[in-house]
Every structure is written in C-alpha cells, then in structure tokens.
Amino acid sequence: MTTEVDSSKMLNGKSFANSGSSSEPLQNDTTDTHSPILNGKMSQGATQENPQLKSPIPSTTNVTYTADDDIIQNQGLVPPPIPHVETNQVSLALIVRNLTIFTIKEISQYMKTNIHVNPSEGSSTKKLAFLKLIIFLRNQFLKLYVLIKWCKTIKNNNFHVMIDLLNWFRTTTMAVNGCIWALRGNLTSMTNAKLPNVDLVSALEVLSLGRTNLPSHNFKLSAEMDPLVKIPPDLILKKLKDLNLMVSIKVAMMDLPRQFHNYYIANGRIYIKVENEFEIQLSTIDRHSPLFFVDVNLLLSFNEKEIILPLNKQRLEKLINEILFKSNKPLFALYDFLHKYVITLQLYSLHLELITLETNGKFSGGNLVHSYDPKKCIISIRYWLNSKMGNKGKIMIGIGRESENLILKWDNKNAINNKRMTTVYNNIVTNLEAIFDEIMFNHCQLIRSDLLSKGVFQEDEEDQDVLLFEIPTTCLTMAAVQLKIDLINGIFYFKNPTPLLSTYVQQINRADSIEDLTRVLQKLKLDKIISILRNMFEKTGWVCSKVIRLEKRIKTTLNDIDSKSLLQQDLFICLPNWPVNWYLILSVISSKSSCMVEKRIGKVVSLKGKWELTYLDNTNTSTAKLETITYQKVVSLQKSILHRIVNHMLIDSLNQLKIRNRICPSDSSNSLLPECIINDSTNMPTKDSPTSATKQESEGTTLSEADTAALVGDPGDAQVNTGGECTSVIALELESFLEGSKALSSILESSMFLRIDYTHSEIRLYGRFKRNTMLIQCKCDDLLIHFIPDGSLTFFFSENFTTLSLIVQYLTSFRQKLMQLVVLTDVVERLHKNFASEYFKIVSLKVNEISFKYLKNSQDEQDCIINIITKKQMVKNLTVQLAASNPQHIIQPFIDSGRLDYHFIFNYLQFTSTLFATLKHILTESNPNKNEDGSIRYTTVNLGLHNLNEYQLVYCNREAGTKITLYIELKNVTHNTGKSLQFYIHFSKDEHITTKSRAYPMVHQVCNQVFMLDPKLISMDKSNSDMKNECKYPDAIKLVNGISCNSEDIEPILMDIHDILKVDSNVGNNDNGSELLPTL
C-alpha cells in the first residue's frame, strides 16, 4: 500500500491536508522576502509552471482540451481532466520508518543538550519541556494514524483522486496568491507616480497603446506604411560615435578608482566591470552634462557559480544619478556605494548559509550559533558550544580595514602565536564550510599539542588524532586508553569505554582548561588505583569502609612538596575483630608518573553527621610504592597490626583534653619545671614522692597503672602501689589551652603547668605574668586566684575533682577565670595609667566591678565604680558610676548618654578633678547668707554647665543690680610641637560692664591682679627661673582677655578670683559716699 504524502512536511509537523503538492511550490511560498536587495528578491531557481494546470472553465462554456491545450467548441459539458500527480509519493513503510528514526533522534538530542542549556533552570521547567516534546511526537503518530484510517474509508482505495484534487486546489490557490502579490507590488511601485491633476486622455492612450501619443516630429524609429520620413541609419551611427567620443573625453578628464580601470566604451556608453562584484553602464548627453545611470548587473558567485541577481533598478537609478550629480569625485563615490552594497549582499548570503548549516547542515543540534549585525556588518560565530575548553575560540566575519573586503578572523590566542596556522581567511563566500573544517581541525591540533606537552598523554603512531593515556589494571601492569576529539562538537570521547571511563567523560568535557582536564584524568587514574587496592584487601579478609569521607585530606609527607600536581585519596580499612572507629588508613598519593601509599593508624568518629579524625599516629608512618604492594604483604599485615592498635588506644585515652601538651616529671631534678611549682607543697604531696609520669616529646603519653585507673574514673585505684603520693605535671601551651585565642599572649607566659594530685584529688593550673602588674597588688576573692609569695609573678587556680573524666570541666572553669583575669588586668592597668597620682587607690576588685578613689580630700568609701560588660570573653563596654558626693557627679548624665569613650572619661575625670573640687568649695562657701563678721551677704554664686568643655560661675547681686559671669573652658593647646589640655578663664563678652557699673571695680581688679599674673610680686633683679619659681601661678599664660593654666594652677587662680568677686559691690563705699576706685 502506497500513499502520496510529503514526508518532509509531515516530519516538520505540518498538516497532512496540505501534503499533496510538490516541493517546488513550497519553496516559492517560503521564500525569504527580507533580502537586503532594494525591493528585489534573491532566488537562484524560479518555479516552473505546470502546463497541465489551467484555470477552471465556466460551466456555461462548451470546451474541449486537445493535446496542445487549445480550446475547441464542443456540444457536451465535460469538465477538464484533473492533472495526475506521480511525483513526491512515498510508501507508508518508509514514512513509518522515517518517523520512528526522527522520534528517536529528537529524544536523544534532547537528552544530550538539555544538560548544557540553561543549567540554572529548575527540574520542573525541564520536565515541562520534555512533556511538550512527547506531545509533539505523539501528534505526528496520530496524524499518520488518521491518514491510514482515511485511506481505508475510500471506495476501492482510490485515494489518488483525492491527492490529485488537493494538488490542483493548492496550485490554483498559489496562482491566485501570486497575482494578488503582483498587484500589490505594482501598487507599491506606483506610489510616487500619482499626478496632482488627472490626465484622462493620456491615461487612455497608455491603456490602449502602451504609451502616450506624443508628436514624432516627422521621425520614425522603424519603417511603417506611413509616408513620413524615418531616421537614417547613418545619423544614428554618427550620434553613437559622437557619444563614444564625449564619454571618452569625460572619462579621461575624471579621476578613476583603481577598481574601475577595467572598462571599455561602446554604443554611446561606458561599460565598467569589477570582477566578482558588479558591471555598470554609464552615459551622458553632451560634454556639459554629467554621467548618468544606464544599467547595472551584479556579478556575485555562490558555490562556484556566477549569479546575476534581479534588482530594483529604478531605485538604484535614482541613487546612482544623485551620487554622480552631487559628488566631487563621482566615480570614487559610485564605487564606494556599489562596493558596500555588494559587501552587504555577500554578508547576507553568508548569514543565510550559516542558517542552513545550523539547522539542516552538519553543525545542526546546537554545535554552531552565529549573530548577524547588519548595522555593523559583522557576523559573530561560536562553535563547540557543548565543549567548555573549545568555547574560548570564536570566529568573526567582517570587512577588513586594508582590503575593504569580507574576511574571516579566527579569534584564538594560541593559533595567533602559532605562525604556521592561518587565522585570517579571504575569499570566504564560496568556501565557508571548508574554512570551518580547517579551523576546527587546527583547534583540535592545538588542544592535542597542549595535552602532549603536559606529559600525561602519549602519541599514537598509527592514528595521529588519538591520544593515549595509561591507567593501571593491577599494581604492576598498565593499560592504554584512547581519547579523541569530535571535530563537529569538540567533545572528548573514549574508544571502547568501560563503565569507569564513561563516568569520567562528562567531567572531562566540563574542564575549562588543559590543567583542569589533566587533573580530571589524574582523578581517573587515582580512582582506578583505589579500586585495585580495595579489591586486594577485600579478597584477603579486610573490611573497606565506603561511607567515611573526611572534609580535609590527611596531611602526609608528600603532599606538601607540590600539592598542585599531586592528588590524594584516603582508604579506611579494618579487620572484623578490631575496636570500633579504629582504622588502618591508606593515603594514596598519585602524580603523573608514580604512585605512593602511606600507612598509618587513626580513629574516625561521626559527630553531628560529619566524619572527624580524632586521633592520628604520625610517628610510625610507613611509605611504599604501589608496585611493591602484594597479596603476601597484605596477609602478613593482619598479624602485625593488632598490638599497635591497642597501644594507640591507650595514647588516645590520655589525649581527651585536646590540648598540645608535654608531660614532665615533677621531681626537683627536672630543669624544665619552675622552682615555684616544685617547692610549692601547699595542699599537695611532698616533692620527694615518686611519680609515675615520664617526659615525652610527642602529643600524648602513657601513665602508670595507677594513673590509667584514675583516668577511667576510679580515683581510689590511683593510690595503689604509690606510697600514698602520686603526682603528674603537664606543660600546656597557652594558646592551645585557650582554644586558639591570643588574648593572653601579651600578658602571660606562653607555657602553663597543670599539676594533678591523684592522692588528694586536687588539680592546679599554674601561670606566670610576663611583667609586674597592678593587679598583683590587689585582691580578687571572686576569681579564687592565689599568688606565690616569692615575687616570681606566678599564680595558680585550684579545684578538687572526684574523677579524671571531669577534668575537662575544670579546665573550662580555669579558662573562664583566665579570661576574666585578663579583662581585670587590662582595666586596672588603664586606671593606673590615667589616674597616675598618689591619691589613686583601688578599694574593691570583683570579677565585673572595680571601685576606686582618686580625689585629693575625698571622705567617701569610693569615688567611682566601674562595671565591666563582657561578650565572648572580651570587653564589650564599661559603665562608669560616680559617687553622689563626688564633685564631678554633675557630669553623670553626659557619661550615661553612652557617647563617650571610656579612655576619654578616665582622662577627663583625672584632669578636671581639681577644678570640680574647687568649684564645690566655692559654692559651699557662698551658700550662707551672712559673712564671717555677721553682715548680710548679697552676692550669690551659681554654677552653669553647658557641656563638658565649658563652665560658668555667675556672681549676682540683686541689691546692686550687678551680674558678673566668669567662663572656664577646656582647650587643646599646641606648644613646642606637642598638644596639651589647658583651662581658659575669661569674663563673658555679652554683659558689657561699663565704668559706671558697680561691678567694674571688681572686674578691673581681677584683670590687674590675676590675669596680669601680678608682676609686682616679683622682683625685677631676679632671673627668669627664679621668677617662675616664686610666681604665684608658675605655669599660667597671660592672654588678651583672660588667662590659661593647667590643672595644677586652676585652684589658686579660681580662689583668688573668687576672693575678689564675692565682695558685695553695694556695701563697699567710703564715708563720703563715693565708690571705691580700683587700685592700679
């Protein structure tokens, strides 16, 4: 059974109802109309019209058809015969076979490309895309099923008539559509031919005669029956010769581009031909007129054939005539225009050819993509999209700067450096596919040479395209595998791959560089070695763990030499009768040329879902080459390994503290122990008692039988056979003891000593300060810290234990106390540094609180309390609380705001302590309403605090109506390239005290006696040093409107000013009633 069905249409998912026509009309129907040719179409083959396909005749006409398709009158009404179609018929078996192959290829291609396309998409999106593909393929089979059912329903299986009828309908439809498009083209081309005034007479002449009936002026181009005179041939020839001469002269006087040298003049025009581009004909009217366009043909060759493309010559004529008329160098401008136009056509033809190669060519399936930019005249091409390594090479097609023609440039750095390889290609229009083949072959050769230079591969003498890579099959033998590169998609593949090789193909193709690919192959070799060793040990009775995976590889003696070129994998094996979590660890280190195996014993446990190596023996490590490992050695290892496991279990039980340590003897003959630890016998056994500990260099050691019994939790057994006394001294590293913290490195010595008395069940931790600190002079009972009274800066913490299994808890307590000790030491040192005076004294010292005194004549228990706020054993913040009776308590709100640094607070309190004590004395003295002699005091003193840098004393006498404001400011002063803090004392500038005011004499007296530094008190015959020693304010500095001084001179200056200003100005008159004038 055969059916006339277009299989290509069916496979492309078209409707089966439209599959009965031939392939040629389909090509015309799908012709690309977006060609860069101006309003033209580029097509190499025109569709042939079938002479048997004619339009249907009306039923009212009597016609018959002869062999020559002539219509003859006939009496009968017989319809014309339907043309029979014999071509494009495919058997049903072939359709089913092609559809099945197509379905398998589509599913296979989807599975291959779906991994590399949009890896960021979720699984649901990929599943939905796969479902759409399945539905599409199902619809194709469903259409085929419907077609078969339809054929069975036709009487006598005469389905050929239906196919012929369908073909006739489709042909007729295409003819009508062609007529419609032709009419539309005429309308579009005649848009500019509309006249403002319609000339119906001329329109009728054009419609009937084909042209307007213009006057002939008694000349005719051909002989007619009309007796009018015709143009003589001699006149025509003479005119053509004259035109040839004029064109020759005009061309000789013009500048010609190099490409226009190939021309000839004939028939009154010049013929200019540029090979493989175009041929143009120009002419002129007379010697005064410019050249104008006559005709042009494009000479473009595709696939070694010369093709003349149909053009929209009306549009070209307009543009070329405009160029010839307006340009200063018309022929140069004409060549530039036509050359760019031809280049555009060639670039567009390459674009169409690339589309064909990507869709239906050998690069289909996503192996080649390109981007066409018509504005920049550039085509960007990327090949080997499925290969990460080949993705670095790109191809660009554009216009060369020197040749101004299309060139193809291969963008590959290695190829550019290789002088024997071509990276720039010309004449690419006719051999584009061959250039692609050459580029991909050269790219494979570059990758192949890079791989051979790494020393991992070997060259195959029989096949130059094959790379040989050796992997072991046993510990002694090697086998070579063949690796090749697919030229189409750039993917690596193995010849005759094994399951292990197949799993590594994807990793090889995901490599971004040669180094990554080499490393993947080394992993392949290492996995093969691990498989060989695992097989050997399992056959001899060992158990190989397949679940243990450490986050970090085990440090070996070989991987530190060149860790980049070495790969390591650890194999954990044991015997069935071994203790749990103990393994013989085989560290396999593989390089390009050799393989080494290191054996050691370790303990691996699972903590919170992760495998961790809690113990590892690095002292008894043995290294062997892979070639030396045999079955006899593996069997003999079972007998010699068990006693080593037991020994390492004992060592591991003593290393539960997880601190780097060194166990030392506690006798007095040991030079490593400080004398204070040896001689300290308070609540500890005597120093002459025997000890069971011995000195060892490694991390961890063994104790006596009594110590081992105490370690497992029975302190009573620790006193057995010890003579009543048993002591161990362990040297600890400070940083390791603090879990890697370096907070105490600058305060304490790097070594600490842990002394354990198994007899008295007491544990002590000894430490030593690097320098003498103020904390040693203080007592902190909350820390339970004890200092050795011999002045060696040594201290210790002490705890009693019930079992050694709880020692870790005591060490945690010791660690917390050490961190608290550091915090207190730091704060106390800063306090002593800032309050460096004889009046500073720490009253109380607690873990998070320090109480101290710093004022001169303080009667309180403490002047200030500091609360220490810590976070993660570090000082987070300090809160300062001043006593209520402290003169500086007025600044407590500023401190509580939390915006001040505690360094600033300490310095501020120390520097202003004398100022606030003096201010408190002045305010206290001014509070009574009567003077010492019993008279009424009218002057009051008030203190104002604007901020921490400015204070004011206001002397107010309401009876006299006077007000004097004295300002005290803190200023940073630069003197002798150094900065210091000074007090600046001056009167307010806003009060404007005049000479008529009663307060003027007092202000004048302060200026003369205090601000002028009282020079009359100093003898003029004394030296400057003597003057400074006898001056009342030795460190004060005279200013224009006041005086500057430090914290030592602030008290006498303020008291002298106060003694002057506290006098009531309204009672200071003499008997005559006149005001007292100031003494100058």
Side-chain angles (χ1 to χ4, degrees), residues 48-168:
Q48 301 291 335
E49 184 181 8
N50 192 345
Q52 297 180 358
L53 301 179
K54 299 295 182 178
S55 300
I57 304 300
S59 58
T60 58
T61 305
N62 299 328
V63 297
T64 58
Y65 288 86
T66 64
D68 296 332
D69 294 335
D70 295 330
I71 302 176
I72 303 175
Q73 297 295 330
N74 194 358
Q75 300 299 325
L77 299 178
V78 180
I82 298 177
H84 182 61
V85 179
E86 294 291 346
T87 61
N88 199 21
Q89 295 189 9
V90 184
S91 64
L92 180 61
L94 182 59
I95 293 177
V96 174
R97 176 182 175 274
N98 292 342
L99 183 57
T100 305
I101 294 175
F102 172 80
T103 302
I104 294 173
K105 287 185 177 181
E106 284 294 312
I107 296 176
S108 177
Q109 187 67 24
Y110 178 85
M111 293 301 180
K112 290 180 181 179
T113 59
N114 191 38
I115 300 177
H116 305 284
V117 177
N118 295 331
S120 60
E121 292 184 355
S123 59
S124 59
T125 305
K126 294 182 179 180
K127 291 179 181 178
L128 184 60
F130 183 71
L131 178 60
K132 292 181 179 179
L133 176 62
I134 296 300
I135 294 175
F136 169 76
L137 297 175
R138 174 184 172 274
N139 291 337
Q140 302 306 312
F141 281 98
L142 185 60
K143 291 177 181 179
L144 184 60
Y145 176 77
V146 172
L147 180 61
I148 295 172
K149 287 293 185 180
W150 172 69
C151 293
K152 290 183 178 181
T153 56
I154 298 177
K155 186 177 181 180
N156 297 326
N157 292 330
N158 191 10
F159 50 87
H160 298 281
V161 177
M162 301 298 294
I163 295 175
D164 295 340
L165 183 60
L166 177 62
N167 182 64
W168 183 85

Side-chain angles (χ1 to χ4, degrees), residues 255-269:
D255 294 332
L256 292 177
R258 176 178 54 85
Q259 294 81 3
F260 278 9
H261 288 175
N262 183 17
Y263 70 91
Y264 64 94
I265 300 173
N267 300 326
R269 63 187 71 176

Side-chain angles (χ1 to χ4, degrees), residues 496-516:
N496 302 322
T498 62
L500 180 62
L501 296 178
S502 299
T503 58
Y504 269 87
V505 169
Q506 294 182 357
Q507 298 184 28
I508 292 174
N509 290 316
R510 285 198 297 265
D512 294 329
S513 61
I514 301 296
E515 290 75 13
D516 294 342

Side-chain angles (χ1 to χ4, degrees), residues 5 43 117 518 691:
V5 179
S43 175
V117 177
T518 304
T691 181

